[in-house]
Amino acid sequence: MEIFTCWWRPIANQDNVTYTLLYTTGEHTPQECPDYVSGGINSCFFDAKHTQIWEMYCMNVTAHTRTGPITSQKHCLDVADIVKIDPPFNLTYIMLNESVSESGRSILLSWLYPIASQVREGWITLIYELRYRHLAQPDNWRVKERLREPHVELLDLPVGTYEFMVRCRSTNSKHWSTWSESINITISGRPLSNRMLAFILVTSIAIMAFFIIGFGIVPRGKRIKSFLLPPIPKPRIRGLEPVLLKKGQIDEINRHFSSFHGYKLPQYCMETWYQVSEYFLNNGQVRELKMILPSAHFTVILIQCLMLDV
């Protein structure tokens, strides 16, 4: 239902003044205001019978005073430009289970719009504005602006309780409707799935088993180490006791090694060393240089002489 109301300011400092509003639509003759009462004092109310969308209304107001009539300037308007739409209604929501996330849940909000016949026929195009807030933060409103469809999807709302409301206006008008009745929606946390519960249970059992085994077996670490990592044997020659090598009894060692193929006993012999003296002259004096040489190197005694002129 389309209706509208016009108001005017009265003339100041004058009593017993009456007002008359005349208007015209299209090429019709001027008509007087149909209702001076319903819109309040100094107003003219146009009911649905006298309201036509997409018609240009031109009007003026005449004040009848003691000194004579005073007429205002003509004011023209299109009802579509001044219309204030009724608020949307039947605001509802659907919880979207398929978009469940760890942080919260997604919801789809929808509502019904007024003047449905006019909107369906394309006479009026509406835009919507949705606002919502977390009840724990009452002063923090979040707004979804310039919505072209009567529904909106909100993704991953954190856990908590929210308040929602919506309003609308015509694209030809700057006047928003009042806000719709609000609804409260509670977003609860996602319950743990069976797979998650099984994972937590298995992890807890594994941790407990680790601690039990750790505290029970660590004192026996050497035995476990010897079982899992047996010691590497030291290299040794079969038939030869390491004690012989440490004592250095060469005869016994040779006797053991003689059993190996190709092993020859070492040959030991006594070598004779001789003392050799070498004489040389130095500054007119005979000097003797003594050396000790092995018999294998003893071939000749060499005496060197240095002749000096006296």
Side-chain angles (χ1 to χ4, degrees):
M1 182 177 65
E2 297 82 22
I3 58 175
F4 72 96
T5 303
C6 296
W7 292 269
W8 59 85
R9 284 201 218 62
I11 296 177
N13 301 325
Q14 291 205 27
D15 298 330
N16 300 322
V17 179
T18 59
Y19 299 92
T20 302
L21 184 143
L22 298 178
Y23 71 95
T24 59
T25 57
E27 301 297 330
H28 297 87
T29 58
Q31 302 178 60
E32 188 175 356
C33 171
D35 186 349
Y36 288 105
V37 177
S38 299
I41 190 172
N42 300 322
S43 68
C44 178
F45 175 74
F46 292 81
D47 56 16
K49 181 180 178 181
H50 295 88
T51 302
Q52 299 178 21
I53 301 295
W54 308 114
E55 283 286 349
M56 188 67 67
Y57 284 73
C58 292
M59 59 190 71
N60 55 31
V61 177
T62 300
H64 303 278
T65 65
R66 294 178 182 178
T67 58
I70 301 175
T71 302
S72 67
Q73 295 181 353
K74 183 182 291 186
H75 180 71
C76 296
L77 58 90
D78 188 341
V79 174
D81 295 335
I82 65 169
V83 65
K84 184 177 181 181
I85 308 297
D86 291 334
F89 58 97
N90 196 24
L91 180 59
T92 57
Y93 72 96
I94 298 175
M95 201 74 70
L96 301 179
N97 294 328
E98 64 271 12
S99 60
V100 174
S101 69
E102 295 293 340
S103 60
R105 301 187 67 172
S106 300
I107 61 174
L108 176 64
L109 288 158
S110 60
W111 54 88
L112 298 179
Y113 46 83
I115 57 172
S117 61
Q118 300 284 353
V119 174
R120 283 194 299 267
E121 294 174 3
W123 291 104
I124 292 180
T125 302
L126 298 179
I127 57 176
Y128 306 93
E129 186 175 272
L130 175 81
R131 71 174 183 177
Y132 64 98
R133 64 179 175 179
H134 197 294
L135 293 185
Q137 302 173 344
D139 297 329
N140 185 18
W141 286 99
R142 301 181 182 179
V143 180
K144 292 288 186 179
E145 298 178 336
R146 304 192 67 81
L147 302 174
R148 296 288 180 174
E149 300 295 334
H151 55 78
V152 65
E153 183 177 347
L154 300 178
L155 301 176
D156 296 336
L157 286 177
V159 175
T161 301
Y162 296 84
E163 180 183 10
F164 297 86
M165 57 183 67
V166 65
R167 65 179 181 176
C168 64
R169 68 174 175 86
S170 169
T171 54
N172 296 319
S173 175
K174 297 181 180 179
H175 303 285
W176 287 96
S177 71
T178 57
W179 289 103
S180 67
E181 294 183 1
S182 63
I183 61 170
N184 292 340
I185 301 176
T186 299
I187 306 295
S188 57
R190 187 177 78 171
L192 293 176
S193 61
N194 294 333
R195 182 177 298 179
M196 182 61 67
L197 289 175
F199 175 77
I200 294 175
L201 181 61
V202 171
T203 304
S204 302
I205 293 175
I207 293 174
M208 293 177 62
F210 174 79
F211 280 108
I212 292 174
I213 293 174
F215 286 110
I217 296 181
V218 165
R220 305 176 184 177
K222 293 184 178 179
R223 295 173 56 187
I224 295 175
K225 181 179 178 181
S226 62
F227 176 77
L228 297 177
L229 300 173
I232 299 175
K234 297 180 180 180
R236 58 178 298 181
I237 301 173
R238 182 177 299 178
L240 180 64
E241 295 295 333
V243 179
L244 294 176
L245 297 176
K246 293 181 179 179
K247 292 181 178 180
Q249 299 177 0
I250 193 64
D251 295 335
E252 295 185 15
I253 293 174
N254 288 331
R255 181 168 52 82
H256 285 290
F257 274 103
S258 62
S259 61
F260 293 98
H261 177 72
Y263 177 78
K264 296 181 179 180
L265 294 174
Q267 300 295 326
Y268 302 96
C269 63
M270 298 300 294
E271 188 173 13
T272 305
W273 290 75
Y274 296 92
Q275 181 175 345
V276 178
S277 298
E278 183 178 358
Y279 295 90
F280 63 94
L281 295 176
N282 186 12
N283 295 328
Q285 297 180 1
V286 179
R287 300 291 183 179
E288 180 182 5
L289 177 63
K290 294 182 180 181
M291 295 183 294
I292 299 176
L293 297 176
S295 60
H297 294 83
F298 185 76
T299 55
V300 65
I301 297 176
L302 176 63
I303 299 175
Q304 295 180 351
C305 296
L306 179 62
M307 301 298 296
L308 299 175
D309 294 331
V310 179

